[in-house]
Amino acid sequence: MHSPEAKSGRIDRREEEMVGPGRPQIVLFGSSIVQFSFINGGWGAILADLYARRADIILRGYAGWNSRFGLQVIDQVFPKNAAVQPALVIVYFGGNDSMHPHPSGLGAHVPLPEYIQNMRKIAEHLLSLSDKTRVIFLTSPPVNEKQIQESIGDVARGRKNELCRIYSDALVDLCEEINVKAIDLWTAFQQHDDWLNTCFTDGIHFTELASEIVVREILKVLREADWKPNLHWKSLPVEFPFDFGTPNSPSLFDLELTRNNHWY
């Protein structure tokens, strides 16, 4: 007679097999920019669509959080003894950290030196998971201060575009120091015409256009990175052949070429 623990172990193994075969895992980790990324047209949803049958996009986003909270849970979200480690982790913290300190001493603000130290520790933990775990940091994007006031009001009055720039620049410098890929969203957004009026739903969170900018920047990094294996969606094998040898079936290549040709 098996013990409850043994039975539980068998159930766990069966559940693991039910979602197989195994694919590379790409984890999105961060604050509301991550949590809301699966909203229609969001950058997480776009990635999940692109990587369908190639990799699993896993969402670990926590609205309102800063790097301090992220560091506190890093061991729970990314345990070092996990049987499977992610192939890629895309991390975003910084927008909440960069807010002005609240007069009460409460709020999301994290001083710049602590923010950089937190992000350094997060990177060190993620890079220690396996010798094939890759990391990309997204910097703080700009904000539309006027739209924030109109949409959210005093709740987010501490958000300033110049503070976002300072935290963004500091994160880029850190990534150069520790050899982690950085995507400078503060600069990338502002390269687009009328970005103030087209990139934000409330002055902070992303429109579909802004999410497309994020995805294109991520794909550019993945295309150019000297990583083995290459993690660009076109480079990963497709799970199961499309037609299983059925005569006169459209090829998977033609199907993907038609559906995702604008992401090349």
Side-chain angles (χ1 to χ4, degrees), residues 21-22 31 33 35 41 51 54 87 91 104 119 126 133 136 140 145 157 161 165 179 196 211-212 215 218 249:
S31 58
I33 295 299
Q35 181 175 328
Y51 280 88
R54 301 172 189 264
V91 181
S104 68
M119 298 303 285
L126 295 175
T133 297
I136 297 174
S140 301
E145 297 175 22
R157 64 182 176 182
N161 202 18
R165 181 193 66 78
N179 196 28
L196 269 173
S211 283
E212 289 184 5
V215 171
I218 291 172
S249 295

Side-chain angles (χ1 to χ4, degrees), residues 52-104:
R53 298 176 69 169
R54 301 172 189 264
D56 289 329
I57 309 297
I58 299 173
L59 189 66
R60 292 296 182 268
Y62 306 93
W65 278 29
N66 55 28
S67 63
R68 189 179 293 162
F69 291 138
L71 183 59
Q72 287 178 2
V73 302
I74 193 76
D75 289 299
Q76 295 169 260
V77 178
F78 300 97
K80 290 189 177 184
N81 62 350
V84 178
Q85 296 294 356
L88 172 66
V89 184
I90 302 175
V91 181
Y92 170 78
F93 289 108
N96 294 326
D97 299 70
S98 67
M99 293 178 67
H100 267 305
H102 194 275
S104 68

Side-chain angles (χ1 to χ4, degrees), residues 9 36 41 46 84 106 135 142 149 163 187 194 243 252 258 260 263:
F36 302 158
I46 296 172
V84 178
L106 304 175
V135 179
Q149 283 299 313
L163 290 174
T187 299
D194 201 25
D243 55 13
L252 177 62
T258 301
N260 292 320
W263 290 110

Side-chain angles (χ1 to χ4, degrees), residues 78 80 85 122-131 133 135:
F78 300 97
K80 290 189 177 184
Q85 296 294 356
I122 288 172
E124 289 172 351
H125 180 91
L126 295 175
L127 292 171
S128 74
L129 296 177
S130 81
D131 59 2
T133 297
V135 179

